[in-house]
Coordinates of all heavy atoms in Angstrom, one line a residue:
A357 N -15.0 8.6 14.9 CA -16.2 8.2 15.4 C -17.3 8.1 14.3 O -17.0 8.0 13.2 CB -16.7 9.0 16.6
G358 N -18.5 8.2 14.7 CA -19.6 8.1 13.7 C -19.7 6.8 13.0 O -19.7 5.8 13.7
L359 N -19.8 6.8 11.7 CA -20.0 5.6 10.9 C -18.8 4.7 11.0 O -18.9 3.5 11.2 CB -20.2 6.0 9.5 CG -20.5 4.8 8.5 CD1 -21.7 4.1 8.9 CD2 -20.6 5.4 7.1
L360 N -17.7 5.2 11.0 CA -16.4 4.4 11.1 C -16.4 3.6 12.5 O -16.1 2.4 12.6 CB -15.2 5.2 11.1 CG -13.8 4.3 11.1 CD1 -13.8 3.3 9.9 CD2 -12.6 5.3 10.9
G361 N -16.8 4.3 13.6 CA -17.0 3.6 14.9 C -18.0 2.6 14.9 O -17.7 1.4 15.5
L362 N -19.1 2.8 14.2 CA -20.2 1.8 14.1 C -19.6 0.6 13.4 O -19.9 -0.6 13.8 CB -21.3 2.4 13.4 CG -22.5 1.4 13.2 CD1 -23.2 0.9 14.6 CD2 -23.6 2.1 12.3
I363 N -18.9 0.9 12.2 CA -18.3 -0.3 11.5 C -17.4 -1.2 12.4 O -17.3 -2.4 12.4 CB -17.7 0.2 10.2 CG1 -18.8 0.8 9.3 CG2 -16.8 -0.9 9.6 CD1 -18.3 1.5 8.1
V364 N -16.5 -0.4 13.1 CA -15.5 -1.1 14.0 C -16.1 -1.9 15.0 O -15.8 -3.1 15.3 CB -14.5 -0.1 14.6 CG1 -13.6 -0.7 15.6 CG2 -13.6 0.6 13.5
V365 N -17.0 -1.4 15.7 CA -17.7 -2.0 16.9 C -18.5 -3.2 16.3 O -18.5 -4.3 16.8 CB -18.6 -1.2 17.6 CG1 -19.5 -1.9 18.6 CG2 -17.8 -0.1 18.4
G366 N -19.2 -3.1 15.2 CA -20.0 -4.2 14.5 C -19.0 -5.3 14.0 O -19.3 -6.6 14.4
T367 N -17.9 -4.9 13.5 CA -17.0 -5.9 13.1 C -16.3 -6.7 14.2 O -16.2 -7.9 14.2 CB -15.8 -5.3 12.2 OG1 -16.4 -4.6 11.0 CG2 -14.9 -6.3 11.7
L368 N -16.0 -6.0 15.3 CA -15.4 -6.6 16.4 C -16.4 -7.6 17.1 O -16.1 -8.7 17.5 CB -15.0 -5.6 17.5 CG -13.7 -4.8 17.1 CD1 -13.4 -3.7 18.1 CD2 -12.5 -5.7 16.9
G369 N -17.7 -7.2 17.2 CA -18.7 -8.1 17.7 C -19.0 -9.3 16.9 O -19.0 -10.4 17.4
Y370 N -19.0 -9.2 15.6 CA -19.2 -10.3 14.7 C -18.0 -11.2 14.8 O -18.1 -12.4 14.8 CB -19.4 -9.8 13.3 CG -19.6 -10.9 12.3 CD1 -20.7 -11.6 12.2 CD2 -18.5 -11.3 11.4 CE1 -20.9 -12.6 11.3 CE2 -18.6 -12.3 10.6 CZ -19.8 -13.0 10.5 OH -19.9 -14.0 9.6
S371 N -16.7 -10.6 14.7 CA -15.5 -11.4 14.7 C -15.4 -12.2 16.0 O -14.9 -13.4 15.9 CB -14.4 -10.5 14.4 OG -14.4 -9.9 13.2
T372 N -15.7 -11.5 17.1 CA -15.5 -12.3 18.3 C -16.5 -13.5 18.4 O -16.0 -14.6 18.9 CB -15.8 -11.3 19.6 OG1 -15.0 -10.2 19.5 CG2 -15.7 -12.0 20.9
A373 N -17.6 -13.3 17.9 CA -18.5 -14.5 17.9 C -18.1 -15.6 16.9 O -18.3 -16.8 17.2 CB -20.0 -14.0 17.4
E374 N -17.4 -15.2 15.9 CA -17.0 -16.3 14.8 C -15.7 -16.9 15.2 O -15.5 -18.1 15.0 CB -16.9 -15.5 13.5 CG -18.3 -15.1 12.9 CD -19.2 -16.3 12.7 OE1 -18.7 -17.3 12.1 OE2 -20.3 -16.2 13.0
I375 N -14.6 -16.1 15.6 CA -13.2 -16.7 15.8 C -12.8 -16.6 17.2 O -11.6 -17.1 17.5 CB -12.4 -15.9 14.8 CG1 -12.2 -14.5 15.1 CG2 -12.7 -16.2 13.4 CD1 -11.0 -13.8 14.3
G376 N -13.5 -16.0 18.1 CA -13.1 -15.9 19.5 C -12.4 -14.6 19.8 O -12.0 -13.8 18.9
L377 N -12.3 -14.3 21.1 CA -11.8 -13.0 21.6 C -10.4 -12.8 21.3 O -9.9 -11.7 20.9 CB -12.2 -12.8 23.1 CG -11.9 -11.5 23.7 CD1 -12.6 -10.3 23.0 CD2 -12.2 -11.5 25.2
A378 N -9.5 -13.8 21.7 CA -8.1 -13.6 21.6 C -7.7 -13.4 20.1 O -6.9 -12.5 19.8 CB -7.4 -14.9 22.1
R379 N -8.3 -14.1 19.2 CA -7.9 -13.9 17.8 C -8.4 -12.5 17.2 O -7.7 -11.9 16.5 CB -8.5 -15.1 16.9 CG -7.9 -16.3 17.2 CD -8.5 -17.5 16.3 NE -7.9 -18.7 16.5 CZ -8.4 -19.9 16.6 NH1 -9.7 -19.9 16.5 NH2 -7.7 -21.0 16.7
T380 N -9.6 -12.1 17.7 CA -10.2 -10.9 17.2 C -9.3 -9.7 17.8 O -8.9 -8.9 17.0 CB -11.6 -10.7 17.8 OG1 -12.4 -11.7 17.3 CG2 -12.2 -9.4 17.4
I381 N -8.9 -9.8 19.0 CA -8.0 -8.7 19.6 C -6.7 -8.7 18.9 O -6.1 -7.6 18.6 CB -7.9 -8.8 21.1 CG1 -9.2 -8.5 21.8 CG2 -6.8 -7.9 21.6 CD1 -9.3 -8.7 23.2
T382 N -6.1 -9.9 18.6 CA -4.8 -10.0 18.0 C -4.9 -9.4 16.6 O -4.0 -8.5 16.2 CB -4.4 -11.5 17.9 OG1 -4.3 -11.9 19.3 CG2 -3.0 -11.6 17.2
L383 N -5.8 -9.8 15.8 CA -6.0 -9.3 14.4 C -6.3 -7.7 14.5 O -5.7 -7.0 13.6 CB -7.1 -10.0 13.7 CG -6.8 -11.5 13.3 CD1 -8.1 -12.1 12.8 CD2 -5.8 -11.5 12.2
F384 N -7.1 -7.3 15.3 CA -7.4 -5.9 15.4 C -6.3 -5.0 15.7 O -5.9 -4.0 15.1 CB -8.5 -5.6 16.4 CG -9.0 -4.2 16.5 CD1 -9.8 -3.6 15.5 CD2 -8.5 -3.3 17.5 CE1 -10.2 -2.3 15.5 CE2 -8.9 -2.0 17.6 CZ -9.7 -1.5 16.6
T385 N -5.5 -5.5 16.7 CA -4.3 -4.8 17.1 C -3.2 -4.8 16.0 O -2.6 -3.7 15.7 CB -3.6 -5.5 18.4 OG1 -4.6 -5.5 19.4 CG2 -2.4 -4.7 18.9
A386 N -3.0 -5.9 15.4 CA -2.0 -6.0 14.2 C -2.4 -5.1 13.1 O -1.6 -4.4 12.6 CB -1.9 -7.4 13.8
A387 N -3.6 -5.1 12.8 CA -4.2 -4.3 11.7 C -4.0 -2.8 12.0 O -3.6 -2.0 11.2 CB -5.6 -4.6 11.3
S388 N -4.3 -2.5 13.3 CA -4.1 -1.0 13.6 C -2.6 -0.5 13.5 O -2.4 0.5 13.1 CB -4.6 -0.9 15.1 OG -6.0 -1.1 15.2
L389 N -1.8 -1.4 14.0 CA -0.3 -1.1 13.9 C 0.2 -0.9 12.4 O 0.9 0.0 12.1 CB 0.5 -2.1 14.7 CG 0.3 -2.1 16.1 CD1 1.0 -3.3 16.9 CD2 0.8 -0.8 16.8
V390 N -0.2 -1.9 11.6 CA 0.1 -1.8 10.2 C -0.5 -0.5 9.5 O 0.2 0.2 8.8 CB -0.2 -3.0 9.5 CG1 -0.1 -2.9 8.0 CG2 0.5 -4.3 9.9
V391 N -1.7 -0.2 9.8 CA -2.3 1.0 9.2 C -1.6 2.2 9.8 O -1.4 3.2 9.0 CB -3.8 1.0 9.6 CG1 -4.4 2.4 9.3 CG2 -4.6 -0.1 8.8
G392 N -1.2 2.2 11.1 CA -0.5 3.3 11.6 C 0.8 3.5 10.9 O 1.3 4.7 10.7
V393 N 1.5 2.4 10.5 CA 2.8 2.6 9.8 C 2.4 3.2 8.4 O 3.2 4.2 7.9 CB 3.5 1.3 9.7 CG1 4.6 1.3 8.7 CG2 4.0 0.8 11.0
A394 N 1.4 2.8 7.8 CA 1.1 3.3 6.4 C 0.7 4.8 6.5 O 1.2 5.6 5.7 CB 0.0 2.6 5.8
V395 N 0.0 5.2 7.6 CA -0.4 6.6 7.8 C 0.8 7.4 7.9 O 1.0 8.5 7.4 CB -1.4 6.7 9.0 CG1 -1.6 8.2 9.4 CG2 -2.8 6.1 8.6
D396 N 1.7 7.0 8.8 CA 3.0 7.7 9.0 C 3.8 7.8 7.7 O 4.4 8.8 7.4 CB 3.9 7.0 10.1 CG 3.5 7.3 11.5 OD1 2.6 8.2 11.7 OD2 4.0 6.6 12.4
H397 N 3.9 6.7 7.0 CA 4.8 6.7 5.8 C 4.2 7.6 4.7 O 5.0 8.3 4.0 CB 4.8 5.3 5.2 CG 5.6 5.2 3.9 ND1 7.0 5.2 3.9 CD2 5.2 5.1 2.7 CE1 7.4 5.2 2.7 NE2 6.4 5.0 1.8
F398 N 2.9 7.7 4.5 CA 2.4 8.5 3.4 C 1.9 9.9 3.9 O 1.5 10.7 3.1 CB 1.2 7.8 2.8 CG 1.5 6.6 2.0 CD1 1.3 5.3 2.5 CD2 2.3 6.7 0.8 CE1 1.7 4.1 1.8 CE2 2.7 5.5 0.2 CZ 2.5 4.3 0.6
G399 N 1.9 10.1 5.2 CA 1.5 11.3 5.7 C 0.0 11.6 5.7 O -0.5 12.8 5.7
W400 N -0.8 10.6 5.7 CA -2.3 10.7 5.6 C -2.8 11.4 6.8 O -2.2 11.3 8.0 CB -3.0 9.4 5.4 CG -2.6 8.6 4.2 CD1 -2.3 9.1 3.0 CD2 -2.7 7.2 4.0 NE1 -2.1 8.2 2.0 CE2 -2.3 7.0 2.7 CE3 -2.9 6.1 4.8 CZ2 -2.2 5.7 2.1 CZ3 -2.9 4.9 4.2 CH2 -2.5 4.6 2.9
L401 N -4.0 12.0 6.7 CA -4.7 12.6 7.9 C -3.8 13.7 8.5 O -4.0 14.0 9.7 CB -5.1 11.6 8.9 CG -5.9 10.5 8.3 CD1 -6.1 9.4 9.4 CD2 -7.3 11.0 7.8
G402 N -2.9 14.3 7.7 CA -2.0 15.3 8.3 C -0.9 15.0 9.3 O -0.3 15.8 9.9
A403 N -0.7 13.7 9.2 CA 0.4 13.1 10.1 C 1.8 13.5 9.5 O 2.0 13.7 8.3 CB 0.3 11.6 10.3
D404 N 2.8 13.6 10.4 CA 4.1 13.9 9.9 C 4.6 12.7 9.2 O 4.3 11.6 9.6 CB 5.1 14.2 11.1 CG 4.9 15.5 11.8 OD1 4.2 16.4 11.2 OD2 5.1 15.6 13.1
V405 N 5.3 12.9 8.1 CA 5.9 11.8 7.3 C 7.0 11.1 8.0 O 8.0 11.8 8.4 CB 6.3 12.3 5.9 CG1 7.0 11.1 5.2 CG2 5.0 12.7 5.1
R406 N 6.9 9.9 8.3 CA 8.0 9.0 8.8 C 8.2 7.8 7.9 O 7.4 6.9 8.0 CB 7.7 8.6 10.3 CG 7.6 9.7 11.2 CD 7.3 9.3 12.7 NE 8.4 8.5 13.1 CZ 8.4 7.7 14.1 NH1 7.1 7.5 14.8 NH2 9.3 6.8 14.5
L407 N 9.1 7.8 7.1 CA 9.3 6.8 6.1 C 9.6 5.4 6.7 O 10.2 5.3 7.8 CB 10.5 7.2 5.2 CG 10.2 8.5 4.4 CD1 11.5 8.7 3.5 CD2 9.0 8.4 3.5
I408 N 9.1 4.4 6.1 CA 9.3 3.1 6.5 C 10.8 2.7 6.3 O 11.4 2.8 5.2 CB 8.5 2.1 5.8 CG1 7.0 2.4 6.0 CG2 8.9 0.7 6.1 CD1 6.1 1.5 5.2
D409 N 11.5 2.3 7.4 CA 12.8 1.8 7.3 C 13.0 0.4 7.7 O 12.0 -0.3 7.9 CB 13.7 2.7 8.3 CG 13.2 2.6 9.8 OD1 12.3 1.9 10.1 OD2 13.8 3.4 10.5
A410 N 14.2 -0.1 7.8 CA 14.4 -1.5 8.0 C 13.8 -2.0 9.4 O 13.3 -3.0 9.5 CB 15.9 -1.8 7.9
G411 N 14.0 -1.1 10.4 CA 13.5 -1.5 11.7 C 12.0 -1.7 11.7 O 11.4 -2.7 12.3
R412 N 11.3 -0.8 10.9 CA 9.8 -0.8 10.9 C 9.4 -2.2 10.0 O 8.4 -2.8 10.3 CB 9.2 0.3 10.2 CG 9.2 1.6 11.2 CD 8.5 2.8 10.6 NE 8.4 3.8 11.5 CZ 7.3 4.4 11.8 NH1 6.4 4.4 10.9 NH2 7.2 5.3 12.7
V413 N 10.1 -2.4 9.0 CA 9.8 -3.6 8.2 C 10.0 -4.9 9.0 O 9.2 -5.8 9.0 CB 10.7 -3.7 7.0 CG1 10.6 -5.0 6.2 CG2 10.3 -2.5 6.0
A414 N 11.1 -4.9 9.8 CA 11.3 -6.0 10.7 C 10.2 -6.1 11.8 O 9.7 -7.2 12.1 CB 12.7 -5.9 11.4
G415 N 9.8 -5.0 12.3 CA 8.7 -5.1 13.2 C 7.4 -5.6 12.7 O 6.7 -6.3 13.3
I416 N 7.1 -5.1 11.5 CA 5.9 -5.6 10.8 C 6.0 -7.1 10.6 O 5.0 -7.9 10.7 CB 5.6 -4.9 9.5 CG1 5.3 -3.4 9.8 CG2 4.4 -5.5 8.7 CD1 5.2 -2.5 8.6
A417 N 7.2 -7.5 10.1 CA 7.4 -9.0 9.9 C 7.2 -9.8 11.2 O 6.5 -10.8 11.1 CB 8.8 -9.2 9.4
L418 N 7.7 -9.3 12.3 CA 7.5 -10.0 13.6 C 6.1 -10.0 14.0 O 5.5 -10.9 14.5 CB 8.4 -9.4 14.7 CG 9.9 -9.6 14.5 CD1 10.7 -8.8 15.5 CD2 10.2 -11.1 14.8
L419 N 5.4 -8.9 13.7 CA 4.0 -8.7 14.0 C 3.2 -9.7 13.2 O 2.3 -10.4 13.7 CB 3.5 -7.3 13.7 CG 2.1 -7.0 14.0 CD1 1.9 -7.0 15.5 CD2 1.8 -5.5 13.4
V420 N 3.5 -9.9 11.9 CA 2.7 -10.8 11.1 C 3.0 -12.3 11.5 O 2.0 -13.1 11.7 CB 3.1 -10.6 9.7 CG1 2.7 -11.9 8.8 CG2 2.7 -9.3 9.1
V421 N 4.2 -12.6 11.9 CA 4.5 -13.9 12.4 C 3.8 -14.2 13.7 O 3.2 -15.2 13.9 CB 6.0 -14.2 12.5 CG1 6.3 -15.4 13.2 CG2 6.8 -14.1 11.2
G422 N 3.8 -13.2 14.6 CA 3.1 -13.3 15.9 C 1.6 -13.6 15.8 O 1.0 -14.4 16.4
T423 N 1.1 -12.7 14.9 CA -0.4 -12.8 14.6 C -0.7 -14.2 14.1 O -1.7 -14.8 14.5 CB -0.8 -11.6 13.7 OG1 -0.4 -10.4 14.2 CG2 -2.2 -11.7 13.4
W424 N 0.1 -14.7 13.1 CA -0.2 -15.9 12.5 C -0.2 -17.0 13.6 O -1.0 -17.9 13.6 CB 0.9 -16.3 11.4 CG 0.7 -17.6 10.9 CD1 -0.3 -18.0 9.9 CD2 1.5 -18.7 11.2 NE1 -0.2 -19.3 9.6 CE2 0.9 -19.9 10.4 CE3 2.5 -19.1 11.9 CZ2 1.4 -21.1 10.4 CZ3 3.0 -20.3 12.0 CH2 2.5 -21.4 11.2
L425 N 0.8 -16.9 14.6 CA 0.8 -18.0 15.6 C -0.3 -18.0 16.5 O -0.8 -19.0 17.0 CB 2.2 -17.7 16.4 CG 3.6 -18.1 15.7 CD1 4.7 -17.6 16.7 CD2 3.6 -19.4 15.5
V426 N -0.9 -16.8 16.8 CA -2.0 -16.7 17.6 C -3.3 -17.1 16.8 O -4.1 -17.8 17.4 CB -2.1 -15.2 18.1 CG1 -3.5 -15.1 18.8 CG2 -1.1 -14.9 19.1
V427 N -3.4 -16.8 15.6 CA -4.6 -17.1 14.8 C -4.8 -18.4 14.2 O -5.9 -19.0 14.1 CB -4.7 -15.9 13.8 CG1 -5.9 -16.2 12.9 CG2 -4.9 -14.5 14.4
Q428 N -3.7 -19.1 14.0 CA -3.7 -20.4 13.4 C -4.6 -21.3 14.3 O -4.6 -21.2 15.5 CB -2.3 -21.0 13.2 CG -1.6 -21.4 14.4 CD -0.3 -22.0 14.1 OE1 0.0 -22.4 13.0 NE2 0.5 -22.2 15.1
R429 N -5.2 -22.2 13.7 CA -6.1 -23.2 14.4 C -5.3 -24.4 14.8 O -4.7 -25.1 14.3 CB -7.4 -23.5 13.5 CG -8.2 -22.3 13.4 CD -9.4 -22.6 12.8 NE -10.3 -21.5 12.5 CZ -11.3 -21.1 13.2 NH1 -11.7 -21.8 14.2 NH2 -11.9 -19.9 13.0

């Protein structure tokens, strides 16, 4: 929370006005999942280390393709 929460809410508000709600939610969700994979892989913030495997790479690839399909104009 705190400053990070303020930045997230401000960014979401600005992005929604600029690119629309569906694109904003899609990008935010995709970014959150990719950051989650990185946090697991490196063990940041005290998380248990879960190394990136082929399944996670495939999932990220599908996520990127799906995000691109939603975000493209």
Side-chain angles (χ1 to χ4, degrees):
L359 181 61
L360 183 57
L362 179 65
I363 291 169
V364 168
V365 170
T367 302
L368 288 174
Y370 177 78
S371 298
T372 301
E374 292 294 317
I375 64 173
L377 184 60
R379 289 180 177 139
T380 299
I381 291 173
T382 301
L383 288 169
F384 183 76
T385 303
S388 297
L389 292 171
V390 170
V391 168
V393 169
V395 167
D396 280 350
H397 179 75
F398 294 108
W400 295 334
L401 306 173
D404 293 335
V405 174
R406 294 182 61 199
L407 298 178
I408 295 175
D409 57 8
R412 286 180 171 226
V413 171
I416 291 171
L418 289 171
L419 181 67
V420 168
V421 170
T423 300
W424 178 77
L425 289 172
V426 170
V427 174
Q428 72 178 349
R429 292 189 185 254

